[in-house]
C-alpha cells in the first residue's frame, strides 16, 4: 500500500523501497499486489515498471539540485474550502460526493488546457505507459457519485489516464475525464485505502502522512476529515480482524525533518529520498511476514 504524500512523500516511498531492497527485502518483486493512492499511485507505477529499486532511487537523486525557484505556496483558500466541506459532511459517502461536486464546480475556472497539461505532465513522469502484467491498482473516485474506483489493467483505461485521475485534487487540479466520466483523487476517500488489500496474508503500508505528528497546515489534503473506516487505524484494524498481518511504515524523525511541511516543494525530494533510504534499511530488520 502506497499512500498519499505529495512530491516529498513519493520520493520518501522510493527511498524506503530502495532501502528495504538494499537490506535484502525487495518488495518490487515480492508484492503480489501494489495499490497506490494519490502521489502513491505514481510510486506504484514506478514500483511495477520493472526498474530495480536502486535505479528508481537514483532517478530521484539525479533530479536537478541546484538553485530552484521559490517553493509553491500553500493553497490556503483551497485548504479552507476542504475543511469546510469536511465539517459539513455527515458521512464518508457524503464527503466524497461533496468533494466530487467541488471538483466539477472548479473545472470551468481551471480550463481545459490545464487538464491537457496535467495529463502530459503525468505521462512524462511515468517510466512506462502500459499496464504491468503483475497486479496493480490506482485509486480514484467518481466525481459524479463519490464512489471509489479501483483502476487496473482490466479496467479498459489507459495507464496514463488512470494515473492522472488518481492525483486530480479537487479545486487544485481539473477532474480527469475518462470515457465520459470524471474522476478525482482517491485520497479524498482515504489517504491510504488500505482496506482494498483485504484478503491478502501480508500487507505493508508506506504512509507518508497518516500517522504524522507535526505542523501540517489545517485542512491540508492529508488532513481531511476522516470518518470511521476511512482512517488508517480503522483500516488496519479491519485487515487484522480478517486475518491479515499488517506492517505500517511511517516517516521517522529524520524523514519528517527532510520532508518539511510543504509536501509539494520539489526541493524536498532528494533529502526525503535519502532519509527514506536510510530508514528503509533499518526497517527491513523489523518487518515480519507470515
Amino acid at each position: 500500500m502506497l499512500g498519499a504524500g505529495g512530491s516529498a512523500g513519493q520520493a520518501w516511498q522510493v527511498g524506503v523501497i530502495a532501502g528495504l531492497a538494499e537490506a535484502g527485502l525487495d518488495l518490487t518483486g515480492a508484492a503480489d499486489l501494489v495499490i497506490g493512492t494519490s502521489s502513491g499511485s505514481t510510486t506504484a507505477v514506478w514500483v511495477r515498471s520493472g526498474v530495480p529499486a536502486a535505479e528508481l532511487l537514483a532517478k530521484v537523486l539525479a533530479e536537478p539540485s541546484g538553485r530552484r525557484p521559490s517553493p509553491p505556496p500553500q493553497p490556503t483558500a483551497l485548504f479552507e474550502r476542504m475543511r469546510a466541506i469536511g465539517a459539513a459532511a455527515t458521512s464518508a459517502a457524503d464527503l466524497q460526493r461533496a468533494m466530487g461536486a467541488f471538483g466539477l464546480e472548479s473545472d470551468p475556472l481551471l480550463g481545459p488546457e490545464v487538464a491537457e497539461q496535467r495529463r502530459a505532465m503525468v505521462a512524462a513522469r511515468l517510466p512506462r505507459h502500459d499496464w504491468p502484467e503483475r497486479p496493480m491498482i490506482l485509486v480514484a473516485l467518481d466525481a459524479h457519485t463519490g464512489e471509489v474506483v479501483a483502476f487496473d489493467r482490466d479496467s479498459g483505461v489507459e495507464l496514463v489516464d488512470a494515473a492522472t485521475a488518481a492525483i486530480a485534487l479537487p479545486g487544485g487540479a481539473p477532474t480527469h475525464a475518462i470515457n465520459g466520466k470524471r474522476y478525482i483523487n482517491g485520497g479524498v476517500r482515504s489517504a491510504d485505502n488500505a482496506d482494498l488489500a483485504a484478503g491478502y496474508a501480508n500487507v505493508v503500508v508506506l504512509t507518508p502522512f497518516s500517522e504524522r505528528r507535526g505542523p501540517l497546515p489545517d485542512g491540508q489534503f492529508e488532513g481531511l476529515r476522516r470518518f470511521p473506516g476511512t482512517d488508517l487505524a480503522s483500516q488496519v484494524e479491519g485487515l487484522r480482524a480478517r486475518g491479515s498481518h499488517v506492517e505500517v511504515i511511517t516517516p521517522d524523525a529524520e524523514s519528517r525533518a527532510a520532508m518539511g511541511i510543504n509536501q509539494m516543494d520539489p526541493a524536498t525530494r532528494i533529502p526525503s529520498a535519502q532519509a527514506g533510504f536510510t530508514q528503509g534499511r533499518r526497517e527491513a530488520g523489523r518487518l515480519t511476514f507470515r
Side-chain angles (χ1 to χ4, degrees), residues 119 122 126 138 151 157-166 176-178:
R119 188 184 189 281
V122 171
L126 301 183
L138 306 184
F151 288 119
V157 171
E158 291 187 19
L159 178 60
V160 173
D161 284 309
T164 306
H176 190 64
I178 304 174

Side-chain angles (χ1 to χ4, degrees), residues 25 35 50 57 87 89 97 99 102 105 111 127 135 141 170 185 190-192 194 203-204 209 220 228 243 262 267 271:
L25 181 57
I35 301 176
L57 176 61
R97 285 191 297 268
M99 288 292 287
F102 174 43
E105 168 194 322
L141 297 183
N185 194 308
S190 165
D192 303 286
V203 179
V204 179
F209 287 110
Q220 189 154 341
N262 185 349

Side-chain angles (χ1 to χ4, degrees), residues 11 14-15 18 46 53-65 68 268-277:
V14 171
W46 282 32
E55 292 183 25
L56 297 178
L57 176 61
K59 177 179 174 66
V60 176
L61 298 182
E63 293 174 358
S65 58
R68 295 176 181 269
T268 63
R269 284 181 58 77
I270 289 177
S272 296
Q274 292 170 328
F277 178 72

Side-chain angles (χ1 to χ4, degrees), residues 167-193:
I167 64 166
L169 175 63
T175 61
H176 190 64
I178 304 174
N179 299 331
K181 292 185 177 182
R182 293 191 169 273
Y183 298 90
I184 61 172
N185 194 308
V188 166
R189 174 183 184 264
S190 165
D192 303 286
N193 290 295

Side-chain angles (χ1 to χ4, degrees), residues 183-229:
Y183 298 90
I184 61 172
N185 194 308
V188 166
R189 174 183 184 264
S190 165
D192 303 286
N193 290 295
D195 56 323
L196 299 184
Y200 284 82
N202 294 289
V203 179
V204 179
V205 183
L206 269 63
T207 178
F209 287 110
S210 280
E211 297 185 354
R212 178 166 179 158
R213 302 291 182 269
L216 284 177
D218 287 341
Q220 189 154 341
F221 189 43
E222 287 70 23
L224 273 178
R225 181 181 179 185
R226 300 298 180 192
F227 287 86

